[in-house]
Amino acid sequence: MTSKEYDMTPRAETPESNGGESAPRSNFIREIIDEHNRSGRFGGRVHTRFPPEPNGYLHIGHAKSICLNFGLAQDYGGKCNLRFDDTNPIKEEQEYIDSIITDVRWLGFDWQDRLFYASDYFGQLYEWAVKLVKDGKAYVDHLSADEIREYRGTLTQPGKESPYRNRSVEENLDLFERMKNGEFPDGTCVLRAKIDMASPNLNLRDPVLYRILHAEHPRTGDAWCIYPMYDWAHGQSDSIEGITHSICTLEFEDHRPLYDWFIQNLGIYAPQQIEFARLNLTYTVLSKRKLIQLVREGYVRGWDDPRMPTISGIRRRGYTPEGIRLFADTIGVAKANSTVDLALLEYCIRQDLNKRAPRKMAVLRPLKVVLTNYPEGQVEELEAVNNPEDPDAGTRKVPFSRVLYIEQDDFMENPAPKYYRLAPGREVRLRYGYFIKCVDVIKDTQGQIVELHCTYDPETRGGTAPDGRKVKATIHWVSAAHAQEAEVRLYDNLFTVPDPGADETRPFTDFINPDSLEVLTTCRIEPSLAGAKPGERFQFERLGYFAADPDSTESRLVFNRTVTLKDEWAKIQKQQG
Ligand code: ATP
Ligand code: MG
């Protein structure tokens, strides 16, 4: 604890944000939608979607996209679909589908009856591919994957046409049908669009539309052995669903001409694609591939490890949907990639928890204190405020007795300059209680401090002295006889550097913080915490916000520290002027 004063709750200032309550802040996406509404392009409709590939768990970056898509629909009185872009059966699993559904709901969004799957459109997509073949705009290619890559050329060199490019429509129709019927093994041929091997946009150099995969699909089983490429499925799925604004991340900007080509050549309804910058966060990796690696290689305890940036991880850690939505509103959307400071996310979570989390007293690293002049066997019930931010939250009783625990670091035998808490001969205030003064330090044979003897001043109940004398610190405590023992897990950043992916010559796992988890097993918590349910969140005074973990049992609670009380964000803002 660095502050000499007790109150370390963050200041109530808000960053430039609407807090999710007042009128939404304008941004370039809203401007486009407003323009469409003025021109009548979509007849005033706003229909977005969130289109995850079920090949991993959702993370905080997806949360940005979810808040954006569902948020726009809400603000414009429109609709937002949840659609699984499930075109790659090799990487997709039901477990991921289930977790995504749970996570989007938990964030507070509702797709009503509009839960869709790209796999629902496999039949339609196949027919459209046949149409392209019939129109002479697609062909079956027998080049290998490596050859296709070679023939594609580079940004500076045009591509080369495949020798199979000019097959007759009849031959292509026959081969494509036989692909579909399972006559060829994986990798023997693909269906490609016939666009332009010299296009400056590599995406237009005869992209692959279908590949052969004799693989079981989580939803369509073995009905198909050819699967559409993501690019062939994505835009048409949006078209089928009547999406007005297909919002996606910047890397799809170069794919937009291809999606437009498909839509035009099929002659179907055209949504407007709009690209925005994906979220990057300091000290965090947000690539699914890397997150899967962290889980599979055991760097974390699972997808929902509270150190993970997954929705399930930050939920377990105690982050709230409201805090995450506030974060999404605060960062807004932009056209240029940038990295957001993790401290801002923590700030938003703190802002939300500050309003809602009941205050409790807990001692993480206990030091025994005996009040030598307090009557043996006496117990007082002291009144404690549940939440100073919430007048309706009321008060509770906290038992006080002769033997207490305080935090080890709230005592220093030889106090450093500016250390104002307990020290030999010094008086401090106990939160909601009395002034106490340290009169003796008891040590074991190794010289370790094992307990303190203090006296209390019965005149100071309520925290003030009738003679007007002051103390410079207030510390928290629990009554030894009444406190419960608990486990508390403290977290630090999972990585030691702000951008763990920056150094391409080293694996990102080189930068894992070996001290990202600290488990404290002898904590003492005030008795009113008994029965806390997994997911319940509290502020432990002076220590931060904590959430009860699912590992808790009836006899022993486990808490995760969600976030400390230190407002790093304010510090960063001050530094930046
Ligand atoms: P993959 O590399 O496996 O495709 P992905 O991160 O793109 O991973 P998707 O399931 O395709 O995952 O993402 C669903 C939606 O979430 C997409 O519209 C994508 O643009 C958006 N999204 C993904 N990552 C971020 C991010 N970091 N910031 C904002 N939006 C994101
Ligand atoms: Mg993707």
Side-chain angles (χ1 to χ4, degrees):
M1 211 66 46
T2 49
S3 165
K4 67 174 179 177
E5 267 313 309
Y6 181 78
D7 188 5
M8 294 192 59
T9 40
R11 265 147 294 155
E13 67 195 15
T14 39
E16 279 179 77
S17 91
N18 58 54
E21 276 152 29
S22 52
R25 239 182 338 156
S26 188
N27 59 46
F28 77 95
I29 298 180
R30 289 176 167 279
E31 281 165 20
I32 294 171
I33 295 176
D34 290 339
E35 178 50 35
H36 288 155
N37 284 347
R38 271 193 297 273
S39 72
R41 167 151 173 209
F42 296 108
R45 279 191 316 121
V46 174
H47 198 152
T48 56
R49 83 287 175 264
F50 173 65
E53 299 179 61
N55 59 0
Y57 277 63
L58 296 183
H59 55 60
I60 182 76
H62 295 113
K64 172 180 177 177
S65 174
I66 293 166
C67 291
L68 178 63
N69 280 293
F70 280 93
L72 285 169
Q74 265 168 13
D75 293 342
Y76 283 93
K79 292 176 181 161
C80 182
N81 299 353
L82 175 59
R83 181 180 69 238
F84 288 100
D85 270 337
D86 55 346
T87 52
N88 185 358
I90 292 168
K91 289 193 174 165
E92 293 161 9
E93 286 171 32
Q94 188 61 39
E95 178 192 349
Y96 298 140
I97 295 180
D98 296 340
S99 76
I100 290 169
I101 288 177
T102 303
D103 290 350
V104 179
R105 269 219 186 98
W106 178 77
L107 280 171
F109 297 109
D110 184 7
W111 50 90
Q112 294 157 324
D113 56 351
R114 295 181 310 280
L115 172 59
F116 299 124
Y117 294 83
S119 56
D120 295 341
Y121 313 138
F122 281 175
Q124 175 69 77
L125 292 169
Y126 177 77
E127 280 172 34
W128 278 333
V130 170
K131 174 182 161 52
L132 287 191
V133 173
K134 284 184 178 159
D135 292 347
K137 292 171 182 168
Y139 60 99
V140 173
D141 194 358
H142 280 85
L143 289 182
S144 70
D146 285 340
E147 287 166 331
I148 289 180
R149 208 169 305 125
E150 244 170 72
Y151 276 57
R152 182 168 293 133
T154 64
L155 283 174
T156 49
Q157 281 181 324
K160 220 165 59 179
E161 294 190 356
S162 163
Y164 304 98
R165 197 175 195 262
N166 293 312
R167 288 183 146 136
S168 71
V169 168
E170 290 67 35
E171 196 184 354
N172 279 318
L173 275 178
D174 174 60
L175 285 169
F176 187 42
E177 187 168 355
R178 289 164 59 195
M179 275 172 70
K180 183 189 103 166
N181 291 343
E183 287 186 30
F184 308 121
D186 290 3
T188 34
C189 50
V190 293
L191 184 76
R192 297 177 71 174
K194 194 171 177 178
I195 307 181
D196 178 6
M197 287 308 290
S199 170
N201 184 336
L202 269 67
N203 293 302
L204 294 176
R205 295 185 188 171
D206 292 9
V208 173
L209 307 184
Y210 275 94
R211 71 261 203 236
I212 301 171
L213 281 178
H214 291 270
E216 188 92 2
H217 186 282
R219 289 181 52 84
T220 58
D222 58 7
W224 295 88
C225 63
I226 56 169
Y227 288 94
M229 299 302 289
Y230 180 84
D231 277 346
W232 174 244
H234 187 76
Q236 282 86 289
S237 299
D238 283 342
S239 175
I240 291 170
E241 293 176 15
I243 299 303
T244 56
H245 300 89
S246 305
I247 298 167
C248 60
T249 41
L250 284 181
E251 67 273 23
F252 290 99
E253 199 162 11
D254 289 348
H255 296 233
R256 178 150 38 99
L258 174 61
Y259 298 165
D260 290 347
W261 188 92
F262 290 150
I263 296 278
Q264 269 165 24
N265 283 278
L266 296 172
I268 58 177
Y269 163 82
Q272 174 69 54
Q273 175 169 307
I274 306 171
E275 305 86 12
F276 73 102
R278 63 171 48 232
L279 172 70
N280 299 302
L281 259 188
T282 56
Y283 299 99
T284 308
V285 297
L286 290 181
S287 132
K288 275 188 202 163
R289 188 178 53 75
K290 289 177 179 166
L291 295 177
I292 286 177
Q293 195 181 336
L294 290 173
V295 173
R296 297 228 170 114
E297 295 177 11
Y299 291 105
V300 293
R301 294 176 173 187
W303 283 105
D304 67 345
D305 186 301
R307 291 167 293 181
M308 288 283 275
T310 50
I311 311 275
S312 51
I314 58 185
R315 171 168 63 233
R316 184 165 180 177
R317 178 137 168 185
Y319 284 27
T320 59
E322 293 83 354
I324 294 167
R325 297 202 302 260
L326 172 63
F327 174 68
D329 281 345
T330 304
I331 57 177
V333 286
K335 250 323 202 188
N337 278 315
S338 67
T339 300
V340 174
D341 208 297
L342 183 57
L344 175 59
L345 173 58
E346 295 185 340
Y347 173 88
C348 292
I349 300 304
R350 215 179 273 123
Q351 284 295 111
D352 180 48
L353 289 173
N354 183 38
K355 286 182 268 170
R356 302 196 291 141
R359 275 46 172 179
K360 299 287 177 187
M361 288 201 286
V363 172
L364 300 188
R365 298 172 183 88
L367 172 60
K368 192 169 166 187
V369 169
V370 180
L371 302 178
T372 52
N373 62 338
Y374 195 87
E376 295 261 10
Q378 179 173 307
V379 179
E380 282 175 83
E381 297 284 335
L382 301 178
E383 189 160 30
V385 175
N386 284 333
N387 187 348
E389 301 292 318
D390 177 2
D392 298 331
T395 59
R396 68 186 184 285
K397 300 286 188 206
V398 188
F400 183 84
S401 66
R402 182 178 154 91
V403 182
L404 310 173
Y405 288 114
I406 65 166
E407 215 63 69
Q408 282 169 17
D409 69 0
D410 280 338
F411 174 80
M412 266 184 103
E413 193 173 14
N414 301 300
K418 297 199 175 162
Y419 184 88
Y420 297 103
R421 288 166 278 160
L422 203 57
R426 189 183 288 171
E427 193 169 48
V428 298
R429 180 188 295 112
L430 293 179
R431 180 72 156 155
Y432 306 117
Y434 298 94
F435 287 11
I436 62 165
K437 183 180 197 167
C438 177
V439 293
D440 209 357
V441 181
I442 315 297
K443 296 182 181 173
D444 64 14
T445 49
Q446 275 96 54
Q448 291 287 321
I449 299 172
V450 289
E451 70 182 56
L452 304 178
H453 286 181
C454 296
T455 55
Y456 88 112
D457 179 352
E459 299 292 312
T460 57
R461 183 170 168 155
T464 50
D467 63 5
R469 76 182 191 281
K470 299 273 188 257
V471 289
K472 283 192 167 159
T474 303
I475 63 174
H476 64 272
W477 53 275
V478 293
S479 164
H482 302 89
Q484 289 206 352
E485 214 176 84
E487 176 176 320
V488 171
R489 299 172 184 168
L490 302 178
Y491 301 101
D492 196 354
N493 296 336
L494 189 50
F495 294 94
T496 51
V497 291
D499 184 357
D503 184 347
E504 277 165 20
T505 65
R506 289 173 66 185
F508 76 104
T509 47
D510 276 11
F511 303 101
I512 287 186
N513 176 6
D515 303 316
S516 60
L517 169 65
E518 184 180 5
V519 181
L520 304 173
T521 54
T522 59
C523 310
R524 299 294 201 288
I525 59 176
E526 70 166 76
S528 74
L529 279 162
K533 298 274 172 301
E536 270 192 85
R537 308 173 186 96
F538 306 93
Q539 184 192 101
F540 292 171
E541 298 210 28
R542 301 174 69 220
L543 300 171
Y545 294 97
F546 293 78
D549 189 84
D551 285 348
S552 299
T553 61
E554 224 160 273
S555 56
R556 189 179 167 80
L557 289 168
V558 177
F559 290 94
N560 298 306
R561 177 149 68 187
T562 309
V563 63
T564 66
L565 295 176
K566 241 186 257 160
D567 188 1
E568 297 290 343
W569 179 241
K571 214 163 81 185
I572 290 164
Q573 280 184 313
K574 211 178 284 168
Q575 282 162 3
Q576 292 170 347

